[in-house]
Amino acid sequence: MLNINLINNREFILSFAGKTIFQHSDTSPLCYIGIGQETIDMYRGNFKINDYLEEKIALRDFKLKQLDDTYIISFYLLEQLFLELTVACIESKLIINFEAKNKSLNRFWLRVCADEDEKIYGCGEQLSYFNLRGRNFPLWSSEPGVGRDKSTYVTWQADVKDKAGGDYYTTNYPQSTFVSSQKYYLHMDSTAYMNFDFTHNNFHELHCWEIPHQIIIETADNYLSLISKLTKFFGRVQELPEWVYNGIILGIQDGPQIIEQKLSKVRQFNVKIAGVWAQDWQGERRTSFGKRLNWNWQWDKNLYPDLDKKIIEWKQQGIRFLGYINPYLIKGYPLYAEAQSLGYFATSLDGSEYLVDFGEFYCGVVDLTNPDAFKWYKQRVIGKELIEFGLDGWMADFGEYLPIDCKLYNGVSAKIMHNDWPRLWAKANFEAVQEYNKLGEILFFMRAGFNGCQPYNLLLWAGDQCVDFSLHDGLASVIPAALSSGMSGSGIHHSDIGGYTTLHGLKRTKQLFMRWVEMAAFTPVMRTHEGNRPKDNFQFDQDDEALQHLAKFVSIYVGLKSYIQDVVNQCANLGFPCQRPLFMHYEDDPQCYDLQYQYLFGEDILVAPVHQENMEEWLVYLPNDEWVHLFTKEQFIGGWHTISAPIGKPAVFYRKKSSFSQLFNNLI
């Protein structure tokens, strides 16, 4: 499978599984090395990153040596050995190990052969673009930003007022892995800042702020097999608890009395309820941003009197109770004092107390590199305060905020640990649930991610979308987010129904809420959120028509239970994402490769969400197959079709030849 063709002592071509991966010559070197000095400023999870590049040097001179099935490529500069690559094929993977011989090097570039017509997917959860070709993607876990489109008023206001506008590449969950339409994946193993540049016709340039540890490449004959290999490499997700499919998880706040009032109202409309998610179970804070939470992860008995009894009562009614947690602790409260006394926080570089401004309140960073602190957080905090208290799930928020100027227990620079923080945070939650033997019962969901988070995050959530129809940060952005994360090995995805971010004049409308409900019914999990300014947003219980609409689509979701369970089972056992790009099953259809606002839910349901305002018709592409409109029963064949899509009848189709066709036909 591996072949290195030495053309002369100045040029070689490395092929793997019949694909040309790397090509080196004097005019087109494979590797560049350099030295740079970066400045990284964080403001509430938003990062301003600049690099002063002192040197970028092409490594042209090399020596090639073969030892059995392993190749060693040594790169020289002025006859001095600078970089050594060990190349081997191990268990169907091409693995390249890197060793820098000059330890002052902190910049690295690698060029991967490319084709002009090639498509590129993955790099974690990308919310603006699914096909990444033609753009570069900095890989640094952060707040995605508000609006994420520099041409819009909302993003401009967010930048001016909060340094928080974001851009097309900003994401909670980046990943240094991409999937090529040439049917291979490539993973660069590093946690440093990286930038993957897909703008060149004949090569992709992968830039890293350290010499990476490894490059791993695998190929396959088809995309399902390729994603199966990728997920086996990273580790696969778990199946969701069975109770999740019994209805919607309603985001409700402000105490048991309000929860009971809202439950009573939705029951009048026969809305099926799987759970209540009360993010303020541990108390609330009011800031200029809106309603925030009190980051001391203990039951607030004043806001939630008798919650310990209500959790049992609701569970007897088939309603699970979910809360909220993140990896930071607010100063001035019991858990902070306990962690401080034990020495479990990251410190300033001089060893003094280190606090992070989270927006008008200050928190300590629990040092997850300290084994004792890690154990304390998962057992003392997650275990005792959440699991033993009776929560059946929670939002495991944040993970992107590790500052780069703090000192960590393991001695590794926070600049290198920053991207790995989401994995450690996911691992703490997962192990807490696992050690209580609650896998398959408890559901937690996260927005942050990076390399290796896949087997620890039970459910990915798309983050804090704006409460609007914008392409880069509204309803539409959730679709490429699900597709790209699925191509990165995180195949169970959902979003806040109605969005979250309510700033700079944005207010959720009834229409937006209803359209988001329509899409969410064809995802693995349905969950609402009131948003950061609930009183400015349309809420599910404000209008009878909206409640009827909600009841209808939750019933469809519940009616699909056996199908969704089958889809999630495929994800957990084979690695196939729940929401799939059309080319995953129709790879010979060139139209399918640039569709980023449609998806297959499993193999048999095609969803084309209406993601723009005031639309009654919707243009849909159907691949070559026999399709049945779920709501009208009209039959279609492949091609572009303009579909009537009023609210309540979105453009959703099922494969006529599906083994679930009778189930689909009886849903409506």
Side-chain angles (χ1 to χ4, degrees), residues 213-252:
H213 311 299
Q214 282 186 328
I215 292 284
I216 297 97
I217 297 173
E218 273 193 283
T219 66
D221 294 330
N222 58 71
Y223 294 106
L224 288 172
S225 178
L226 183 61
I227 294 303
S228 188
K229 289 182 177 182
L230 184 150
T231 53
K232 184 179 180 181
F233 169 69
F234 282 113
R236 292 181 180 143
V237 299
Q238 299 283 316
E239 294 191 53
L240 298 175
E242 184 273 339
W243 60 263
V244 168
Y245 309 111
N246 294 334
I248 192 168
I249 299 171
L250 292 173
I252 308 176

CSV table of all heavy atoms in Angstrom, one decimal, residues 213-252:
chain,number,residue,atom,x,y,z
A,213,HIS,N,3.1,15.6,16.2
A,213,HIS,CA,3.6,14.3,16.6
A,213,HIS,C,3.5,13.3,15.5
A,213,HIS,O,4.4,12.5,15.2
A,213,HIS,CB,2.8,13.8,17.8
A,213,HIS,CG,2.6,14.8,18.9
A,213,HIS,ND1,3.7,15.3,19.6
A,213,HIS,CD2,1.6,15.5,19.4
A,213,HIS,CE1,3.3,16.2,20.5
A,213,HIS,NE2,2.0,16.3,20.4
A,214,GLN,N,2.4,13.3,14.8
A,214,GLN,CA,2.1,12.3,13.7
A,214,GLN,C,1.2,12.9,12.7
A,214,GLN,O,0.5,13.9,12.9
A,214,GLN,CB,1.4,11.1,14.3
A,214,GLN,CG,2.2,10.1,15.1
A,214,GLN,CD,1.4,8.9,15.5
A,214,GLN,OE1,0.2,9.0,15.7
A,214,GLN,NE2,2.0,7.7,15.5
A,215,ILE,N,1.2,12.3,11.5
A,215,ILE,CA,0.2,12.4,10.5
A,215,ILE,C,-0.4,10.9,10.3
A,215,ILE,O,0.4,10.0,10.2
A,215,ILE,CB,0.7,12.9,9.2
A,215,ILE,CG1,1.1,14.3,9.3
A,215,ILE,CG2,-0.3,12.7,8.1
A,215,ILE,CD1,0.0,15.3,9.3
A,216,ILE,N,-1.7,10.8,10.4
A,216,ILE,CA,-2.3,9.5,10.1
A,216,ILE,C,-3.3,9.6,8.9
A,216,ILE,O,-4.1,10.6,8.9
A,216,ILE,CB,-3.1,9.0,11.4
A,216,ILE,CG1,-2.2,8.8,12.6
A,216,ILE,CG2,-3.9,7.7,11.1
A,216,ILE,CD1,-2.2,10.0,13.5
A,217,ILE,N,-3.2,8.7,8.0
A,217,ILE,CA,-4.0,8.7,6.8
A,217,ILE,C,-4.6,7.3,6.6
A,217,ILE,O,-3.9,6.3,6.8
A,217,ILE,CB,-3.2,9.1,5.6
A,217,ILE,CG1,-2.7,10.5,5.7
A,217,ILE,CG2,-4.0,8.9,4.3
A,217,ILE,CD1,-1.7,10.9,4.6
A,218,GLU,N,-5.9,7.2,6.3
A,218,GLU,CA,-6.5,6.0,5.9
A,218,GLU,C,-7.3,6.2,4.7
A,218,GLU,O,-7.9,7.3,4.5
A,218,GLU,CB,-7.4,5.4,7.0
A,218,GLU,CG,-6.7,4.5,8.0
A,218,GLU,CD,-7.6,3.7,8.9
A,218,GLU,OE1,-8.2,4.4,9.8
A,218,GLU,OE2,-7.8,2.5,8.7
A,219,THR,N,-7.5,5.2,3.9
A,219,THR,CA,-8.3,5.3,2.6
A,219,THR,C,-9.4,4.2,2.7
A,219,THR,O,-9.4,3.3,3.5
A,219,THR,CB,-7.4,5.0,1.4
A,219,THR,OG1,-7.0,3.7,1.4
A,219,THR,CG2,-6.2,6.0,1.4
A,220,ALA,N,-10.4,4.4,1.8
A,220,ALA,CA,-11.4,3.4,1.7
A,220,ALA,C,-12.0,3.4,0.3
A,220,ALA,O,-11.8,4.4,-0.5
A,220,ALA,CB,-12.5,3.6,2.7
A,221,ASP,N,-12.9,2.5,0.0
A,221,ASP,CA,-13.5,2.4,-1.4
A,221,ASP,C,-14.8,3.3,-1.4
A,221,ASP,O,-15.2,3.6,-2.5
A,221,ASP,CB,-13.8,1.0,-1.7
A,221,ASP,CG,-12.6,0.1,-1.9
A,221,ASP,OD1,-11.5,0.7,-2.3
A,221,ASP,OD2,-12.6,-1.1,-1.7
A,222,ASN,N,-15.4,3.5,-0.2
A,222,ASN,CA,-16.6,4.3,-0.2
A,222,ASN,C,-16.6,5.1,1.1
A,222,ASN,O,-15.8,4.9,2.0
A,222,ASN,CB,-17.8,3.5,-0.3
A,222,ASN,CG,-17.9,2.4,0.7
A,222,ASN,OD1,-18.1,2.7,1.9
A,222,ASN,ND2,-17.7,1.1,0.4
A,223,TYR,N,-17.5,6.1,1.1
A,223,TYR,CA,-17.5,7.1,2.3
A,223,TYR,C,-18.0,6.4,3.6
A,223,TYR,O,-17.5,6.8,4.6
A,223,TYR,CB,-18.4,8.3,1.9
A,223,TYR,CG,-17.8,9.1,0.8
A,223,TYR,CD1,-18.3,9.1,-0.5
A,223,TYR,CD2,-16.6,9.9,1.0
A,223,TYR,CE1,-17.8,9.8,-1.5
A,223,TYR,CE2,-16.1,10.6,0.0
A,223,TYR,CZ,-16.6,10.6,-1.3
A,223,TYR,OH,-16.1,11.3,-2.3
A,224,LEU,N,-18.9,5.5,3.5
A,224,LEU,CA,-19.4,4.8,4.7
A,224,LEU,C,-18.2,4.1,5.4
A,224,LEU,O,-18.0,4.1,6.6
A,224,LEU,CB,-20.5,3.9,4.4
A,224,LEU,CG,-21.9,4.6,4.1
A,224,LEU,CD1,-22.9,3.5,3.6
A,224,LEU,CD2,-22.4,5.3,5.3
A,225,SER,N,-17.5,3.4,4.5
A,225,SER,CA,-16.3,2.6,5.1
A,225,SER,C,-15.3,3.6,5.6
A,225,SER,O,-14.6,3.3,6.6
A,225,SER,CB,-15.8,1.7,4.0
A,225,SER,OG,-14.6,1.0,4.4
A,226,LEU,N,-15.1,4.7,4.9
A,226,LEU,CA,-14.0,5.6,5.3
A,226,LEU,C,-14.4,6.2,6.7
A,226,LEU,O,-13.5,6.3,7.6
A,226,LEU,CB,-13.9,6.8,4.3
A,226,LEU,CG,-12.8,7.8,4.6
A,226,LEU,CD1,-11.4,7.2,4.6
A,226,LEU,CD2,-12.9,8.9,3.5
A,227,ILE,N,-15.6,6.7,6.9
A,227,ILE,CA,-16.1,7.2,8.2
A,227,ILE,C,-16.0,6.2,9.3
A,227,ILE,O,-15.8,6.5,10.4
A,227,ILE,CB,-17.4,7.9,8.0
A,227,ILE,CG1,-17.4,9.1,7.1
A,227,ILE,CG2,-18.0,8.3,9.4
A,227,ILE,CD1,-16.4,10.1,7.5
A,228,SER,N,-16.3,4.9,8.9
A,228,SER,CA,-16.3,3.9,9.9
A,228,SER,C,-14.8,3.7,10.3
A,228,SER,O,-14.6,3.5,11.5
A,228,SER,CB,-16.8,2.6,9.2
A,228,SER,OG,-16.9,1.5,10.2
A,229,LYS,N,-13.9,3.8,9.4
A,229,LYS,CA,-12.5,3.7,9.8
A,229,LYS,C,-12.1,4.9,10.7
A,229,LYS,O,-11.3,4.7,11.7
A,229,LYS,CB,-11.6,3.6,8.6
A,229,LYS,CG,-11.7,2.3,7.8
A,229,LYS,CD,-10.7,2.3,6.7
A,229,LYS,CE,-10.8,0.9,5.9
A,229,LYS,NZ,-9.8,0.9,4.8
A,230,LEU,N,-12.5,6.1,10.3
A,230,LEU,CA,-12.1,7.3,11.1
A,230,LEU,C,-12.7,7.2,12.5
A,230,LEU,O,-12.0,7.5,13.5
A,230,LEU,CB,-12.7,8.5,10.3
A,230,LEU,CG,-12.4,9.9,10.9
A,230,LEU,CD1,-12.3,10.9,9.8
A,230,LEU,CD2,-13.4,10.3,11.9
A,231,THR,N,-13.9,6.8,12.7
A,231,THR,CA,-14.5,6.7,14.0
A,231,THR,C,-13.9,5.6,14.8
A,231,THR,O,-13.8,5.7,16.0
A,231,THR,CB,-16.0,6.5,13.9
A,231,THR,OG1,-16.4,5.4,13.1
A,231,THR,CG2,-16.7,7.8,13.3
A,232,LYS,N,-13.5,4.5,14.2
A,232,LYS,CA,-12.8,3.5,14.9
A,232,LYS,C,-11.4,4.0,15.4
A,232,LYS,O,-11.0,3.7,16.5
A,232,LYS,CB,-12.5,2.2,14.0
A,232,LYS,CG,-11.9,1.1,14.7
A,232,LYS,CD,-11.7,-0.1,13.8
A,232,LYS,CE,-11.1,-1.3,14.5
A,232,LYS,NZ,-10.8,-2.4,13.6
A,233,PHE,N,-10.8,4.8,14.6
A,233,PHE,CA,-9.5,5.4,15.1
A,233,PHE,C,-9.7,6.3,16.3
A,233,PHE,O,-8.9,6.2,17.3
A,233,PHE,CB,-8.9,6.2,13.9
A,233,PHE,CG,-7.7,7.0,14.3
A,233,PHE,CD1,-6.5,6.4,14.7
A,233,PHE,CD2,-7.8,8.4,14.3
A,233,PHE,CE1,-5.4,7.2,15.0
A,233,PHE,CE2,-6.7,9.2,14.7
A,233,PHE,CZ,-5.5,8.6,15.0
A,234,PHE,N,-10.7,7.2,16.3
A,234,PHE,CA,-10.9,8.1,17.4
A,234,PHE,C,-11.6,7.5,18.6
A,234,PHE,O,-11.4,7.9,19.7
A,234,PHE,CB,-11.7,9.3,16.9
A,234,PHE,CG,-10.8,10.3,16.2
A,234,PHE,CD1,-11.1,10.6,14.8
A,234,PHE,CD2,-9.8,11.0,16.8
A,234,PHE,CE1,-10.3,11.5,14.1
A,234,PHE,CE2,-9.0,12.0,16.1
A,234,PHE,CZ,-9.3,12.2,14.7
A,235,GLY,N,-12.4,6.5,18.3
A,235,GLY,CA,-13.3,5.9,19.3
A,235,GLY,C,-14.7,6.4,19.0
A,235,GLY,O,-14.9,7.6,18.6
A,236,ARG,N,-15.7,5.6,19.2
A,236,ARG,CA,-17.1,5.9,18.7
A,236,ARG,C,-17.9,6.3,19.9
A,236,ARG,O,-17.6,6.1,21.1
A,236,ARG,CB,-17.7,4.7,18.1
A,236,ARG,CG,-17.1,4.4,16.7
A,236,ARG,CD,-17.7,3.2,16.0
A,236,ARG,NE,-17.0,3.0,14.7
A,236,ARG,CZ,-16.7,1.8,14.2
A,236,ARG,NH1,-17.1,0.7,14.9
A,236,ARG,NH2,-16.1,1.7,13.1
A,237,VAL,N,-19.0,7.0,19.5
A,237,VAL,CA,-20.0,7.5,20.5
A,237,VAL,C,-20.8,6.4,21.1
A,237,VAL,O,-20.8,5.2,20.7
A,237,VAL,CB,-20.9,8.5,19.9
A,237,VAL,CG1,-20.2,9.7,19.3
A,237,VAL,CG2,-21.8,7.8,18.7
A,238,GLN,N,-21.5,6.7,22.2
A,238,GLN,CA,-22.4,5.8,22.9
A,238,GLN,C,-23.8,5.9,22.3
A,238,GLN,O,-24.1,7.0,21.8
A,238,GLN,CB,-22.4,6.1,24.4
A,238,GLN,CG,-21.1,5.9,25.1
A,238,GLN,CD,-20.7,4.5,25.4
A,238,GLN,OE1,-21.6,3.7,25.8
A,238,GLN,NE2,-19.5,4.2,25.1
A,239,GLU,N,-24.6,4.9,22.5
A,239,GLU,CA,-26.0,5.1,22.2
A,239,GLU,C,-26.7,6.0,23.2
A,239,GLU,O,-26.3,6.0,24.4
A,239,GLU,CB,-26.7,3.7,22.1
A,239,GLU,CG,-26.2,2.9,20.9
A,239,GLU,CD,-27.1,1.6,20.7
A,239,GLU,OE1,-28.3,1.8,20.5
A,239,GLU,OE2,-26.5,0.5,20.7
A,240,LEU,N,-27.8,6.6,22.8
A,240,LEU,CA,-28.5,7.5,23.7
A,240,LEU,C,-29.4,6.8,24.6
A,240,LEU,O,-29.9,5.7,24.3
A,240,LEU,CB,-29.3,8.5,22.9
A,240,LEU,CG,-28.5,9.5,22.0
A,240,LEU,CD1,-29.5,10.3,21.1
A,240,LEU,CD2,-27.6,10.4,22.7
A,241,PRO,N,-29.7,7.3,25.8
A,241,PRO,CA,-30.7,6.7,26.7
A,241,PRO,C,-32.1,6.5,26.0
A,241,PRO,O,-32.5,7.4,25.2
A,241,PRO,CB,-30.8,7.6,27.9
A,241,PRO,CG,-29.5,8.3,27.9
A,241,PRO,CD,-29.1,8.5,26.4
A,242,GLU,N,-32.7,5.4,26.2
A,242,GLU,CA,-34.0,5.2,25.6
A,242,GLU,C,-35.1,6.3,25.8
A,242,GLU,O,-35.9,6.6,24.9
A,242,GLU,CB,-34.5,3.8,26.0
A,242,GLU,CG,-35.8,3.3,25.3
A,242,GLU,CD,-37.1,3.8,26.1
A,242,GLU,OE1,-37.0,4.2,27.3
A,242,GLU,OE2,-38.1,3.9,25.4
A,243,TRP,N,-35.0,6.8,27.0
A,243,TRP,CA,-36.1,7.8,27.4
A,243,TRP,C,-36.0,9.1,26.5
A,243,TRP,O,-37.0,9.8,26.4
A,243,TRP,CB,-36.0,8.2,28.8
A,243,TRP,CG,-34.7,8.8,29.3
A,243,TRP,CD1,-33.7,8.2,29.9
A,243,TRP,CD2,-34.3,10.2,29.2
A,243,TRP,NE1,-32.6,9.1,30.2
A,243,TRP,CE2,-33.0,10.3,29.8
A,243,TRP,CE3,-34.9,11.4,28.7
A,243,TRP,CZ2,-32.3,11.5,29.8
A,243,TRP,CZ3,-34.2,12.6,28.7
A,243,TRP,CH2,-33.0,12.6,29.3
A,244,VAL,N,-34.9,9.3,25.9
A,244,VAL,CA,-34.7,10.5,25.1
A,244,VAL,C,-35.7,10.6,23.9
A,244,VAL,O,-36.2,11.6,23.6
A,244,VAL,CB,-33.3,10.6,24.5
A,244,VAL,CG1,-33.1,11.7,23.4
A,244,VAL,CG2,-32.2,10.9,25.6
A,245,TYR,N,-36.0,9.4,23.4
A,245,TYR,CA,-36.9,9.4,22.2
A,245,TYR,C,-38.4,9.4,22.5
A,245,TYR,O,-39.2,9.4,21.6
A,245,TYR,CB,-36.6,8.0,21.4
A,245,TYR,CG,-35.2,7.8,21.2
A,245,TYR,CD1,-34.5,6.8,21.8
A,245,TYR,CD2,-34.5,8.6,20.2
A,245,TYR,CE1,-33.2,6.5,21.5
A,245,TYR,CE2,-33.1,8.3,20.0
A,245,TYR,CZ,-32.5,7.3,20.6
A,245,TYR,OH,-31.2,7.1,20.4
A,246,ASN,N,-38.7,9.6,23.8
A,246,ASN,CA,-40.1,9.6,24.2
A,246,ASN,C,-40.8,11.0,24.1
A,246,ASN,O,-42.0,11.1,24.5
A,246,ASN,CB,-40.3,9.1,25.6
A,246,ASN,CG,-39.9,7.6,25.7
A,246,ASN,OD1,-40.0,6.9,24.7
A,246,ASN,ND2,-39.5,7.1,26.9
A,247,GLY,N,-40.0,12.0,23.7
A,247,GLY,CA,-40.6,13.3,23.5
A,247,GLY,C,-39.5,14.4,23.5
A,247,GLY,O,-38.4,14.1,23.3
A,248,ILE,N,-40.0,15.6,23.7
A,248,ILE,CA,-39.1,16.7,23.7
A,248,ILE,C,-38.5,17.0,25.0
A,248,ILE,O,-39.1,16.7,26.1
A,248,ILE,CB,-39.8,18.0,23.1
A,248,ILE,CG1,-38.8,19.1,22.8
A,248,ILE,CG2,-40.9,18.4,24.1
A,248,ILE,CD1,-39.5,20.2,22.0
A,249,ILE,N,-37.3,17.6,25.1
A,249,ILE,CA,-36.7,18.1,26.3
A,249,ILE,C,-37.0,19.6,26.3
A,249,ILE,O,-36.4,20.3,25.5
A,249,ILE,CB,-35.2,17.8,26.4
A,249,ILE,CG1,-35.0,16.3,26.4
A,249,ILE,CG2,-34.6,18.4,27.7
A,249,ILE,CD1,-33.5,15.8,26.3
A,250,LEU,N,-37.8,20.0,27.2
A,250,LEU,CA,-38.2,21.4,27.3
A,250,LEU,C,-37.3,22.2,28.2
A,250,LEU,O,-37.1,21.9,29.3
A,250,LEU,CB,-39.6,21.6,27.8
A,250,LEU,CG,-40.8,21.0,26.9
A,250,LEU,CD1,-42.1,21.1,27.7
A,250,LEU,CD2,-40.8,21.8,25.6
A,251,GLY,N,-36.7,23.3,27.6
A,251,GLY,CA,-35.9,24.2,28.4
A,251,GLY,C,-36.8,25.2,29.1
A,251,GLY,O,-37.5,26.0,28.6
A,252,ILE,N,-36.8,25.0,30.5
A,252,ILE,CA,-37.7,25.9,31.3
A,252,ILE,C,-36.8,26.3,32.5
A,252,ILE,O,-36.0,25.6,33.0
A,252,ILE,CB,-38.9,25.1,31.8
A,252,ILE,CG1,-39.7,24.4,30.7
A,252,ILE,CG2,-39.9,26.0,32.6
A,252,ILE,CD1,-40.9,23.6,31.1
